Amino acid sequence: MGYQGQLPVIPPQRDLDGKETLVSQHKHKEKTCRQSAAVFNVVNSIIGSSVIGLPYSMKQAGFPLGILLLFWVSYVTDFSLVLLIKGGSLSGTDTYQSLVNKAFGFPGYLLLSVLQFLYPFIAMISYNIITGDTLSKVLQRIPGVDPGNLFIGRHFIIVLSTVAFTLPLSLYRDIAKLGKISLISTVLITLILGIVIARLVSLDSHIPKTEDAWEFAKPNAIQAVGVMSFAFICHHNSFLIYGSLEEPTIAKWSCIIHVSVLVSVFISMLFAACGYLTFTGFTQGDLFENYCRNDDLVTFGRFCYVITVILTYPIECFVTREVIANVFFGGNLSTVFHVIVTMAIITVATLASLLFDCLGIVLELNGVLCAAPLIFIIPSACYLKLSEEPRTHSDKIMSCVMLLTGAVVMVVGFFMAVTHPQDCTHGQEMFYCFPENFSLTNTPVSHFQLTTQLSILNISIFQ
C-alpha cells in the first residue's frame, strides 16, 4: 500500500524561529542517506499493496480517461510533495503536523490528526478484507480441503490472522522493529506485477471484452481519483526522508521527487493497464477476485500478496495508536493503556471488515475522505497561507487549482460512493472460469448477452 512507515502525529509544537533548519529534529540522529536511497524510500512509500486497486480505477473512469487521471494524480503528488517542503522552509518546521499547526493553529492540527487516524484505520479494514478474500482462495488449493469448510471461510481467516499475526505484531511499541519489511514488500509486489503481466498474455483470448471496455470516460471518474489518491499518498514520509539527506536542499529534494514519481507512475501504469486489459468491465476492486481459483501461478501471487498485507498492517495500527496517544494521552501510553488502545483499534477494524466484504467501496471512501485532503488540499492551503509570493506566481496558481480539485473530489466522490456504490462480486467464481459449460471468444459482450449466458450457469455476477 502507498501508506507505509508513517511518522507518528505529535502534539502542536512551539513556533520555531525562522533561523532553525527544517531538519533540526533529525540532526541529532546523525543519520544521512544518499539521493539514490531517498529515491528508493519514496518509491517504496508509493508502490505498495494498494496498487491492487488501480485496475479497478480504470474500470470506473474509462480506460483512456483513467490513464490520463493517473498521470494527473502522479503530477499532483509530485507537486504537493515539493510544496510541503517549501512550506516547511517558509515556516521553519520539520514535520507535516508542525507545518499545519504553524499555518492554521491547533484546529488545523486537530483536523490533520483526524485525517491521519482515519486513513490508516480504513486501510486496516481494507487489509483484513484482502486477507480474508485472498487467503481463503489459497487454502482451497490445498489437496483434500473442502471449499465449503468453515475454517477456510473469509470470516474465520480474518479472525485467525488477526489473533495469530497482526495483533501480536501491532503490540510492538517501537515502529523501528517493523521497519525492515519495505524491501520484502517491494520484492513481493514486483513478483505480483510479473504474474499480472503473464496472465494478460495467457488470458487475453479467453476472456470476452465488455462493450464499454474502451469508453473514453465514465460517470465514476471522481471515485477513480479517490482510489488513485489512496495508492499515491506518501506525504507522511516526506519530512523524514528530506531530513535524512546529506545537505538537504529544495532543489535536491525536487530532483528526488521527480525521479521517484516517474518510476512509481511507470509501475502503477503497468499494473493498472495490464489488470484492466485482462478483465475490462469485469475488473474488481480486489484484482485477485477476478482470477480463477484453480490458477496455481495466481495462487502463488495471492500468497505473496497476503504476506505483504499482513506485514504492512501493524504499521497502520501503529499510526492510529500514536494519533490517539498524542491527542488524548499527551503522547505517552502506559503499558496497560498501550495494550487496551491497540486491542480496541484492532477489534473495531476487524468487526468492520467482517461486515463489509467489498474492497472497492473501502478504497473509494478512504481515497475521497482522507487521501484527497492530505494530497490536494492541506499542502496547498499551507503554502497559500505562508507564502508571500504574488497571486500570479505559478506555485500559487497551481495551489489554487489543487485546492479546488481536492474539494470537488471530496464532496462529489463521497456523494457518488454512497449513492451509487459499485457492484461487488465478492467470493464468486467468475463465469469465464467454467470453460466446460460454454465457449467464449474474444469479442465484445453486451450486458444482455452476458446476463443470458450467466443465467444458464445459474451464476449471477450482477446484483
Side-chain angles (χ1 to χ4, degrees), residues 136 139-140 144-154 156 293:
S136 63
L139 296 178
Q140 287 175 14
V145 173
D146 181 7
N149 194 316
L150 174 65
F151 297 107
I152 62 170
R154 66 178 302 271
F156 181 81
R293 300 181 188 183

Side-chain angles (χ1 to χ4, degrees), residues 209-227:
K209 308 303 181 188
T210 52
E211 63 179 5
D212 64 345
W214 315 117
E215 284 187 10
F216 180 82
K218 296 181 182 178
N220 298 103
I222 294 294
Q223 292 164 272
V225 173
V227 175

Side-chain angles (χ1 to χ4, degrees), residues 96-154:
Y96 200 171
Q97 296 77 34
S98 56
L99 168 61
V100 175
N101 183 52
K102 181 81 173 188
F104 297 103
F106 183 71
Y109 160 80
L110 199 59
L111 175 62
L112 184 67
S113 298
V114 171
L115 292 173
Q116 289 193 313
F117 172 84
L118 288 176
Y119 188 91
F121 180 74
I122 299 176
M124 289 167 62
I125 296 173
S126 70
Y127 283 0
N128 276 337
I129 293 173
I130 291 169
T131 300
D133 290 345
T134 306
L135 194 55
S136 63
K137 294 178 177 60
V138 173
L139 296 178
Q140 287 175 14
R141 294 297 297 157
I142 299 176
V145 173
D146 181 7
N149 194 316
L150 174 65
F151 297 107
I152 62 170
R154 66 178 302 271

